[in-house]
């Protein structure tokens, strides 16, 4: 499995699939940030390597509709605070406005795309949606361990359209742990 350290990242538009489907209270405040904190090493490494980081994730189950309570705006603001730098939220995850926002990124900057599940095509692994999502990236990084088993566009389909792919540090760690567990079971 290729990892981040196997790829030259400087200046490359790097689409990172994370799982920031975090619990929030009625006021829109994050009540448990574990899923965000576990991906920080990957994001910090990408930023240190001067990649142009494009974060994509989902929130809740909006059933393919734009539902304001599932917007990633609070997550982008929270991540900005943790990283100590702005994390603008794109108005969508595909389209011309997203392409323009990605084109405006400088080396070492980060952008979060709006909720992938606002589009029913995400969960259907739609080929055209996958292509559009991948169209802004030079590199794809999966660091969304909790959703890696799902045949969704941002997990599976996008990989067909991006030449360079790698596992993020969380996915790499969990994969190594799983392999070790399986090897231990083989000796029972």
């Amino acid at each position: 499995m290729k990892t981040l350290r196997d790829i030259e990242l400087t200046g490359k538009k790097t689409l990172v699939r994370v799982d920031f489907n975090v619990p929030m209270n009625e006021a829109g405040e994050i009540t448990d940030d574990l899923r965000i904190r576990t991906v920080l090493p990957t994001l910090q490494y990408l930023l240190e390597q001067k990649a142009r980081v494009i974060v994509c994730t989902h929130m809740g189950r909006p059933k393919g509709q734009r539902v304001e309570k599932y917007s990633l705006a609070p997550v982008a603001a929270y991540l900005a605070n943790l990283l100590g730098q702005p994390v603008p939220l794109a108005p969508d995850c595909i389209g011309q406005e997203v392409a323009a926002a990605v084109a405006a990124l400088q080396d070492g900057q980060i952008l979060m795309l709006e909720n992938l599940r606002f589009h029913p095509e995400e969960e259907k692994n739609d080929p055209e949606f996958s292509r559009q999502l991948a169209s802004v990236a030079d590199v794809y990084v999966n660091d969304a361990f909790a959703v890696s088993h799902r045949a969704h566009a941002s997990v599976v389909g996008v990989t067909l359209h991006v030449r360079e792919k790698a596992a993020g540090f969380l996915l790499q760690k969990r994969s190594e742990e799983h392999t070790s567990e399986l090897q231990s079971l083989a000796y029972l």
Side-chain angles (χ1 to χ4, degrees), residues 127-153:
E128 179 57 21
F129 181 79
S130 300
R131 187 195 62 72
Q132 288 182 52
L133 189 58
S135 70
V136 297
D138 302 313
V139 177
Y140 171 77
V141 174
N142 186 343
D143 215 20
F145 179 77
V147 299
S148 290
H149 66 288
R150 299 192 186 278
H152 291 177

Side-chain angles (χ1 to χ4, degrees), residues 22-25 28-33 36 59 74-76 78-79:
V22 294
M24 290 196 283
N25 62 23
E29 300 165 327
I30 294 168
T31 58
D32 182 350
D33 68 354
I36 297 172
M59 171 72 71
V75 178
Y78 194 90
L79 182 60

Side-chain angles (χ1 to χ4, degrees), residues 3 5-6 9-11 20 27 32 47 63 69 73 75 81 89 108 110 132 149 182 187:
T3 69
R5 290 190 174 91
D6 299 323
L9 296 161
T10 304
F20 286 174
D32 182 350
L47 294 168
K63 299 183 180 172
K69 77 175 188 175
V75 178
N81 186 52
L89 178 67
I110 186 169
Q132 288 182 52
H149 66 288
L182 289 175
Y187 293 107

Side-chain angles (χ1 to χ4, degrees), residues 17-86:
R17 178 54 159 108
V18 298
D19 180 13
F20 286 174
N21 186 23
V22 294
M24 290 196 283
N25 62 23
E26 293 299 319
E29 300 165 327
I30 294 168
T31 58
D32 182 350
D33 68 354
L34 180 65
R35 289 182 176 185
I36 297 172
R37 288 190 178 278
T38 57
V39 177
L40 282 178
T42 294
L43 297 178
Q44 289 167 329
Y45 179 81
L46 290 167
L47 294 168
E48 289 166 4
Q49 297 302 307
K50 302 295 184 201
R52 298 172 186 205
V53 182
I54 309 148
V55 176
C56 66
T57 187
H58 74 280
M59 171 72 71
R61 296 178 186 268
K63 299 183 180 172
Q65 302 295 315
R66 184 173 286 275
V67 178
E68 193 56 37
K69 77 175 188 175
Y70 295 127
S71 173
L72 292 166
V75 178
Y78 194 90
L79 182 60
N81 186 52
L82 290 176
L83 291 173
Q85 74 179 73

Side-chain angles (χ1 to χ4, degrees), residues 8 13-15 18 20 33 38 51 94 96 107 110 142 179:
E8 172 55 48
K13 295 173 289 186
T14 306
L15 181 66
V18 298
F20 286 174
D33 68 354
T38 57
I94 58 170
Q96 291 300 321
D107 295 355
I110 186 169
N142 186 343
T179 300

